[in-house]
Short mmCIF file of all heavy atoms in Angstrom, two decimals:
data_model
loop_
_atom_site.label_atom_id
_atom_site.label_comp_id
_atom_site.label_asym_id
_atom_site.label_seq_id
_atom_site.Cartn_x
_atom_site.Cartn_y
_atom_site.Cartn_z
N LEU N 46 85.41 77.13 124.13
CA LEU N 46 84.48 77.52 122.98
C LEU N 46 84.31 76.23 122.07
O LEU N 46 83.25 76.11 121.32
CB LEU N 46 85.04 78.67 122.19
CG LEU N 46 85.06 79.95 122.93
CD1 LEU N 46 85.59 81.13 122.05
CD2 LEU N 46 83.64 80.38 123.37
N VAL N 49 81.54 74.43 123.73
CA VAL N 49 80.35 75.28 123.58
C VAL N 49 79.81 75.14 122.09
O VAL N 49 78.56 74.94 121.91
CB VAL N 49 80.60 76.72 123.88
CG1 VAL N 49 79.47 77.57 123.41
CG2 VAL N 49 80.86 76.96 125.37
N ASP N 50 80.62 75.06 121.18
CA ASP N 50 80.22 74.90 119.77
C ASP N 50 79.59 73.47 119.62
O ASP N 50 78.54 73.28 118.96
CB ASP N 50 81.42 75.13 118.78
CG ASP N 50 81.84 76.49 118.66
OD1 ASP N 50 81.03 77.34 118.99
OD2 ASP N 50 82.94 76.73 118.17
N SER N 53 76.14 73.76 120.91
CA SER N 53 75.23 74.62 120.13
C SER N 53 74.79 73.95 118.85
O SER N 53 73.72 74.32 118.25
CB SER N 53 75.83 76.06 119.89
OG SER N 53 77.12 75.87 119.09
N PHE N 80 73.96 78.52 129.13
CA PHE N 80 73.46 79.72 128.56
C PHE N 80 74.24 80.22 127.45
O PHE N 80 73.77 80.65 126.41
CB PHE N 80 73.23 80.87 129.61
CG PHE N 80 72.55 82.00 129.15
CD1 PHE N 80 71.35 81.96 128.49
CD2 PHE N 80 72.98 83.25 129.53
CE1 PHE N 80 70.61 83.01 128.10
CE2 PHE N 80 72.31 84.35 129.05
CZ PHE N 80 71.06 84.28 128.44
N LEU N 81 75.65 80.14 127.57
CA LEU N 81 76.49 80.42 126.45
C LEU N 81 76.29 79.55 125.25
O LEU N 81 76.28 80.07 124.14
CB LEU N 81 77.95 80.36 126.93
CG LEU N 81 79.06 80.81 125.95
CD1 LEU N 81 78.91 82.18 125.45
CD2 LEU N 81 80.45 80.54 126.41
N ALA N 82 76.12 78.33 125.42
CA ALA N 82 75.86 77.39 124.32
C ALA N 82 74.53 77.78 123.70
O ALA N 82 74.38 77.76 122.39
CB ALA N 82 75.82 75.99 124.81
N PHE N 83 73.50 78.14 124.45
CA PHE N 83 72.23 78.46 123.95
C PHE N 83 72.36 79.78 123.03
O PHE N 83 71.85 79.80 121.90
CB PHE N 83 71.27 78.74 125.07
CG PHE N 83 69.94 79.35 124.69
CD1 PHE N 83 69.04 78.66 123.99
CD2 PHE N 83 69.55 80.61 125.09
CE1 PHE N 83 67.81 79.07 123.52
CE2 PHE N 83 68.33 81.17 124.69
CZ PHE N 83 67.51 80.47 123.93
N LEU N 84 73.01 80.75 123.53
CA LEU N 84 73.21 82.04 122.75
C LEU N 84 74.01 81.85 121.44
O LEU N 84 73.73 82.35 120.46
CB LEU N 84 73.94 83.09 123.65
CG LEU N 84 73.06 83.67 124.79
CD1 LEU N 84 73.83 84.69 125.50
CD2 LEU N 84 71.84 84.23 124.29
N GLN N 85 75.03 80.89 121.53
CA GLN N 85 75.79 80.62 120.34
C GLN N 85 74.98 79.98 119.24
O GLN N 85 75.48 79.90 118.10
CB GLN N 85 77.05 79.81 120.68
CG GLN N 85 78.07 80.37 121.63
CD GLN N 85 78.67 81.68 121.05
OE1 GLN N 85 78.22 82.78 121.19
NE2 GLN N 85 79.78 81.40 120.40
N SER N 86 73.94 79.43 119.63
CA SER N 86 73.07 78.80 118.56
C SER N 86 72.15 79.80 117.82
O SER N 86 71.40 79.48 117.03
CB SER N 86 72.11 77.77 119.16
OG SER N 86 71.15 78.33 120.14
N HIS N 87 72.31 81.14 118.18
CA HIS N 87 71.61 82.27 117.60
C HIS N 87 70.13 82.08 117.68
O HIS N 87 69.38 82.07 116.61
CB HIS N 87 72.02 82.33 116.06
CG HIS N 87 73.42 82.70 115.94
ND1 HIS N 87 74.02 83.35 114.84
CD2 HIS N 87 74.60 82.49 116.70
CE1 HIS N 87 75.26 83.50 114.84
NE2 HIS N 87 75.60 82.99 116.03
N PRO N 88 69.59 82.09 118.89
CA PRO N 88 68.16 81.87 119.12
C PRO N 88 67.38 83.09 118.79
O PRO N 88 68.00 84.32 118.68
CB PRO N 88 68.00 81.46 120.55
CG PRO N 88 69.24 82.17 121.07
CD PRO N 88 70.38 82.20 120.10
N CYS N 115 79.58 86.83 125.25
CA CYS N 115 79.27 86.09 124.06
C CYS N 115 79.38 86.92 122.81
O CYS N 115 79.15 88.14 122.97
CB CYS N 115 77.81 85.45 124.14
SG CYS N 115 76.53 86.65 123.75
N ASP N 116 79.76 86.41 121.72
CA ASP N 116 79.93 87.16 120.53
C ASP N 116 78.79 87.10 119.51
O ASP N 116 78.87 87.47 118.40
CB ASP N 116 81.28 86.72 119.82
CG ASP N 116 81.33 85.23 119.51
OD1 ASP N 116 80.30 84.57 119.70
OD2 ASP N 116 82.43 84.80 119.11
N TRP N 117 77.61 86.65 120.09
CA TRP N 117 76.29 86.85 119.21
C TRP N 117 75.92 88.21 119.08
O TRP N 117 75.67 88.90 120.09
CB TRP N 117 75.26 85.86 119.90
CG TRP N 117 73.97 85.93 119.21
CD1 TRP N 117 73.90 85.80 117.80
CD2 TRP N 117 72.74 86.16 119.73
NE1 TRP N 117 72.47 85.88 117.50
CE2 TRP N 117 71.79 86.12 118.64
CE3 TRP N 117 72.17 86.38 120.97
CZ2 TRP N 117 70.38 86.35 118.84
CZ3 TRP N 117 70.89 86.58 121.20
CH2 TRP N 117 69.96 86.55 120.07
N ARG N 404 89.74 87.14 121.96
CA ARG N 404 89.75 87.49 120.53
C ARG N 404 89.23 88.94 120.48
O ARG N 404 89.67 89.69 119.63
CB ARG N 404 89.05 86.57 119.77
CG ARG N 404 87.60 86.16 120.15
CD ARG N 404 87.07 85.00 119.47
NE ARG N 404 85.70 84.64 119.72
CZ ARG N 404 85.17 83.50 119.42
NH1 ARG N 404 85.96 82.53 118.79
NH2 ARG N 404 83.87 83.22 119.56
#
Side-chain angles (χ1 to χ4, degrees):
L46 295 178
V49 168
D50 287 344
S53 63
F80 190 45
L81 181 59
F83 173 66
L84 292 181
Q85 294 296 89
S86 67
H87 297 205
C115 80
D116 53 12
W117 178 47
R404 55 196 187 192

